[in-house]
Amino acid sequence: MQRKTPSCVVFNHGCEESDALRKLSTLAILVAATAFLAGARLPPQGPMPEPRPDAGQATNPTSPSSEAEPPAPEEVPAPQPKPDLKDPQAPVPHPPPAPQAAPSKPEPAEPMQGPPRPPGSPESSQPPEEAKPPGEQTLEEQNLTIEPESDAEHAECTAALQSLGVVFKDTPRIDDGNGCGIDKPIIVSEALPGIKLKPEATIRCPAALALARWMKDSVIPAASTALPEQGRITTVNQATSYMCRLRNGAGTGKVSEHARGNAIDIASFHFEKGEDVAVRSRREDPTLTGAFQRTVSAAGCLYFTTVLDPESDAAHETHFHLDVIERKGGYRYCH
């Protein structure tokens, strides 16, 4: 099979001329285009963008809302998990700020000083002094009153005295002021039949009844056992019965039960034979006399609510103090 030979090869001269013509025509086209572009200019104002076809409907207030595109819903932040306080990397929530305290009211201005007010006006009166404690008050400062006694109770008590053989008589009401006094006093001359009370004692009936029962049930039996050779007791010597004063004769303090007729002080016992048995300190006395005094002192608390003997304090070194004061809960004090 024979291969075709291009014409440009056969006619070499003719091919060269056609290539030259193509180059010249191409160059001419480039020159012309360059000249055209050099003379061209941009317009003074560029084209304006045309509005979207649906823009007028979106902005037109008269357009039905059903035709408008609904706005996209706002994104709601999802709740975050509560930070674990144990995790050191977790942020610690800050407490809400504390409410500010209300401003304090201004203090009222002090009144202006003026001329002194006349005496007796309420503004010029001085505040009363603080009351003293009872232990520092005098008898006058305590404003005491006499305790009233029931007629029925008094009649019952005096009937008991008569049954024991106590010799006594009624006396008018005593009122010495400042609460000192006895509503229904009696004067006792014999503590029991045949046992005189010297001097006569002015006391309330309950104190006289306690004295008679103590003598009958304790003192007389103890004396007949401890001191039989001295015979029977014939006299009870008392040191104090009714007396308006404070305790132990002090200037301040509580009122004495002597000032109310509830107390009597026994100084000694007189027997038919031998010496009197005086009340004195006998704690270490090993004799029967000492035993007698300690026995009657201890037995006194069976009848009286207060018994103070020579061992209690210096104010009672020479007598028994016996009283029938009423305390809460039936409390008794015996020393």
Side-chain angles (χ1 to χ4, degrees):
M1 182 177 180
Q2 294 182 354
R3 297 175 60 183
K4 293 182 178 182
T5 304
S7 59
C8 290
V9 176
V10 178
F11 305 99
N12 189 25
H13 180 74
C15 291
E16 292 177 357
E17 288 180 357
S18 55
D19 290 336
L21 289 174
R22 283 195 298 272
K23 292 178 180 180
L24 288 174
S25 60
T26 301
L27 179 61
I29 292 172
L30 292 174
V31 171
T34 303
F36 178 77
L37 293 173
R41 293 182 180 180
L42 294 173
Q45 183 175 359
M48 298 298 293
E50 296 294 334
R52 290 175 55 185
D54 58 351
Q57 296 178 0
T59 57
N60 187 3
T62 62
S63 301
S65 59
S66 60
E67 295 180 2
E69 184 179 357
E74 297 182 358
E75 294 184 0
V76 179
Q80 299 296 327
K82 185 178 180 180
D84 189 3
L85 297 180
K86 296 182 180 180
D87 186 2
Q89 300 298 330
V92 179
H94 296 283
Q100 297 182 357
S104 59
K105 296 181 180 180
E107 296 293 336
E110 295 183 0
M112 298 181 61
Q113 299 294 332
R117 297 180 180 273
S121 60
E123 293 80 5
S124 63
S125 60
Q126 299 296 329
E129 297 181 0
E130 295 184 0
K132 297 179 182 178
E136 298 179 4
Q137 293 180 356
T138 64
L139 184 61
E140 292 76 10
E141 293 172 337
Q142 296 185 38
N143 299 318
L144 302 175
T145 58
I146 299 173
E147 297 181 1
E149 296 186 59
S150 166
D151 292 337
E153 292 179 356
H154 182 70
E156 182 180 355
C157 180
T158 55
L161 288 180
Q162 292 172 352
S163 65
L164 291 172
V166 178
V167 179
F168 68 95
K169 63 180 179 181
D170 292 322
T171 189
R173 184 176 188 269
I174 301 174
D175 187 353
D176 290 334
N178 301 317
C180 292
I182 305 174
D183 188 29
K184 292 179 171 56
I186 61 173
I187 299 176
V188 179
S189 56
E190 291 189 10
L192 284 174
I195 301 178
K196 297 186 180 297
L197 188 60
K198 289 187 177 180
E200 295 179 336
T202 301
I203 51 178
R204 290 182 60 231
C205 183
L209 184 59
L211 176 65
R213 289 173 174 171
W214 175 59
M215 290 291 299
K216 178 178 183 295
D217 298 335
S218 297
V219 177
I220 293 176
S224 61
T225 300
L227 307 169
E229 69 280 0
Q230 294 192 212
R232 66 180 186 89
I233 298 176
T234 59
T235 304
V236 177
N237 298 303
Q238 61 97 6
T240 309
S241 55
Y242 169 77
M243 179 179 289
C244 182
R245 63 174 174 83
L246 298 179
R247 292 182 181 180
N248 300 329
T252 58
K254 293 184 177 181
V255 67
S256 171
E257 291 306 302
H258 288 285
R260 299 181 179 275
N262 289 327
I264 188 169
D265 294 342
I266 304 301
S268 65
F269 302 94
H270 180 73
F271 291 79
E272 291 180 315
K273 306 173 185 177
E275 297 179 355
D276 291 355
V277 176
V279 178
R280 57 182 178 84
S281 178
R282 296 184 185 271
R283 177 181 297 174
E284 305 299 332
D285 187 350
T287 65
L288 289 174
T289 302
F292 164 74
Q293 178 176 304
R294 291 192 297 270
T295 300
V296 299
S297 174
C301 213
L302 300 175
Y303 311 95
F304 297 91
T305 56
T306 304
V307 176
L308 301 175
D309 63 13
E311 314 299 341
S312 61
D313 55 29
H316 300 89
E317 289 181 341
T318 59
H319 61 273
F320 294 138
H321 170 87
L322 310 171
D323 72 47
V324 292
I325 183 176
E326 294 183 4
R327 298 186 180 92
K328 293 182 179 179
Y331 175 74
R332 299 185 176 215
Y333 182 81
C334 303
H335 192 288

